[in-house]
Amino acid sequence: MALLLAVLSGCQNASKDLEKLVDSQKYTVFVSLDEDVAKTTLDAGGFITRWSTADQIGVYSGTTGSQGLFTLVGESAGSTDGIFKGSLSGAPQYAYFPYTSGAGNNAKAVALNLPDTQTQPAYGQPDMTLDVKSGTVLSGGSASAGYQFNFSQRLVLLHFVFTPNNTLNGDVLNSISMEVSGKVLAGDYTLDITNNAAVPAFASGGASKVVLNFASPVTLASGTPVEAWMFIAPTVASGDAISIKAFTDKHEVQVDVNASKAYSTGYRYNMPIDVAALIAAGKANVVEAAPASWYEDVTEWGVYDISGSTPAAIHTYVEFQDQYMVQSTSSSFTFGIQSVLRGYVSDITLATAIIPKVGGSVNVTYYHVDESGATTTSHSCTVVKADGNRLWIEDATDKLGFVINKIAE
């Protein structure tokens, strides 16, 4: 039996879930990135991508039939040429990156999703798990010699270079968003990986705005550029009105421009945002951000990420679908949510049996289970709002908000 070997100008995939390989035959496949399209970036300079440990690709032997899961072998990590191993029923014909378990059995309509809320994992580094590539097998392959693919990128990568003015000096940049009214920029889509020129087919009703958050705080210095990366659908046409917003801890920057060209599949586009120059040109303005009041915007029990301009639900209670519980001891109080259908569990334990009043301090232990496993974290919190039996608790340092029920209803 032969092995599956894949060589592709590298990509990053954060997934650590190595699923059991299916079917009986192993193959060798070589995959290279099409040099005729712009590359996404990882290396300095923005034009070289490299494989990372645990990267995975999906492979099909025909237009219909279950896909095979292939995983990068260790010696390929850090290289622009990757070696993948896996099993498949039938010789490899079509492949894509990154592997998605719910992609389906139709290679002409691989089911994928581009999230409308994205996170830049590190400064200057795009989330390469969103960098979808695909290709068809080249001629001359065999089970013994291996199969070679030529991959091309299927989405659009935006490279924002945000240069703050004096007003923003010292601010912490929380997020950047881009909106094009009437155009779908993100959401569910299908991709025909049997066609080397395929363009993703996004479903109607997708998001017209994409928000990019930052995993690590970015402190701004006047005149010093900050890099940010965002993946969007190739739906922007020349002349489209583009609304870009940048949110800091103190200000909101609004930029209104028009696309100078149509955005094409597989290309990177530079998006310079020189705030001072854009203000001078009448295309931008800076206003003070409204005071943080995440607790005014949410009512559902659960846990929220309050690092951005608007709270983002991490795990919230869904009526008639989830269960909740309240438990008191002589020294603690716990409110829990169990979401069986989603596989989520959250327990919020206060280190006191007496619920503090608004303005009071309380130590909270947060236990959470999701598809990536279980975590337990400790938080120094303040009670910021109370309404009947509902309590809003905030960790201002870790940017987490908790909404709990004080007693069983």
Side-chain angles (χ1 to χ4, degrees), residues 135-314:
T136 61
V137 69
L138 301 181
S139 60
S142 68
S144 58
Y147 296 83
Q148 184 159 350
F149 284 77
N150 196 19
F151 269 27
S152 297
Q153 294 167 296
R154 302 306 180 194
L155 297 173
V156 170
L157 177 62
L158 302 181
H159 178 209
F160 293 93
V161 180
F162 182 84
T163 305
N165 64 354
N166 290 334
T167 302
L168 303 173
N169 187 59
D171 282 16
V172 176
L173 181 62
N174 292 323
S175 66
I176 293 177
S177 70
M178 174 170 162
E179 183 173 10
V180 181
S181 180
K183 296 296 178 70
V184 175
L185 300 186
D188 292 330
Y189 68 97
T190 58
L191 179 64
D192 181 1
I193 66 171
T194 72
N195 177 4
N196 285 333
V199 175
F202 278 78
S204 61
S208 62
K209 180 173 72 173
V210 176
V211 178
L212 176 68
N213 296 315
F214 298 89
S216 300
V218 181
T219 301
L220 301 176
S222 177
T224 301
V226 172
E227 291 184 285
W229 302 85
M230 177 189 294
F231 287 94
I232 65 169
T235 55
V236 178
S238 178
D240 277 352
I242 299 175
S243 173
I244 299 171
K245 293 183 179 180
F247 295 92
T248 75
D249 58 335
K250 299 176 182 177
H251 296 91
E252 176 184 332
V253 181
Q254 171 71 52
V255 178
D256 294 299
V257 294
N258 294 96
S260 60
K261 62 185 69 177
Y263 293 178
S264 300
T265 295
Y267 283 84
R268 184 192 78 175
Y269 295 91
N270 292 321
M271 307 289 286
I273 306 177
D274 187 324
V275 176
L278 288 168
I279 290 175
K283 296 181 178 180
N285 63 79
V286 179
V287 297
E288 291 187 4
S293 56
W294 68 270
Y295 45 85
E296 300 296 342
D297 299 325
V298 298
T299 57
E300 296 296 335
W301 300 320
V303 186
Y304 297 84
D305 177 354
I306 59 173
S307 61
S309 57
T310 58
I314 295 174

Side-chain angles (χ1 to χ4, degrees), residues 112-136:
L112 302 168
N113 175 271
L114 177 63
D116 59 5
T117 299
Q118 302 171 16
T119 300
Q120 183 166 294
Y123 177 74
Q125 299 291 310
D127 181 357
M128 301 300 285
T129 64
L130 306 179
D131 184 25
V132 173
K133 297 173 168 68
S134 70
T136 61

